[in-house]
Amino acid sequence: MNNQNAASERYEHLIIEEDYLIAQIETYDQMIDSTLNYAYTNSSNLHLETLKNVFTDIHNKNQQAQLQLLHVRLEKNILAYRLKFYINSNAPSST
């Protein structure tokens, strides 16, 4: 497998990983909103420290996913530049 094929396959993998992380982050955001709404409607029956712990755990997972997404996007941009270089260097000359 040549470098261009390897870069193309990795790029495709990163697109899938990016989509997965975006879905994960959206789910964490929805869980935070749902938990806030639940706390609002049931506040008299809930233990505040437990809710804080739940929010902290969800928030930490969300931050981890955000950081992973940032790394994936960085790698994807670097690969996109390399793929552009491969394509341009393999293009027939116009002379």
Side-chain angles (χ1 to χ4, degrees), residues 39-67:
Y40 175 77
T41 59
N42 297 285
S43 62
S44 63
N45 301 327
L46 299 174
H47 186 257
L48 181 59
E49 287 305 312
T50 302
L51 273 178
K52 286 180 180 179
N53 290 337
V54 168
F55 274 110
T56 299
D57 290 344
I58 295 171
H59 178 72
N60 287 339
K61 291 287 190 182
N62 196 343
Q63 283 187 317
Q64 289 172 359
Q66 291 278 359
L67 182 58

Side-chain angles (χ1 to χ4, degrees), residues 3-84:
N3 287 341
Q4 183 177 356
N5 288 344
S8 292
E9 284 185 20
R10 179 66 182 150
Y11 189 85
E12 292 299 320
H13 173 76
L14 289 170
I15 290 172
I16 293 167
E17 191 173 349
E18 181 180 33
D19 290 344
Y20 175 81
L21 288 166
I22 289 169
Q24 208 176 25
I25 291 164
E26 288 172 350
T27 301
Y28 288 134
D29 289 340
Q30 290 172 0
M31 292 302 299
I32 289 170
D33 289 342
S34 295
T35 306
L36 282 170
N37 288 332
Y38 184 79
Y40 175 77
T41 59
N42 297 285
S43 62
S44 63
N45 301 327
L46 299 174
H47 186 257
L48 181 59
E49 287 305 312
T50 302
L51 273 178
K52 286 180 180 179
N53 290 337
V54 168
F55 274 110
T56 299
D57 290 344
I58 295 171
H59 178 72
N60 287 339
K61 291 287 190 182
N62 196 343
Q63 283 187 317
Q64 289 172 359
Q66 291 278 359
L67 182 58
Q68 285 178 300
L69 180 61
L70 182 62
H71 290 174
V72 164
R73 287 180 170 166
L74 175 62
E75 185 177 354
K76 204 173 106 186
N77 282 335
I78 291 168
L79 278 173
Y81 174 80
R82 289 180 183 163
L83 286 168
K84 180 180 173 184

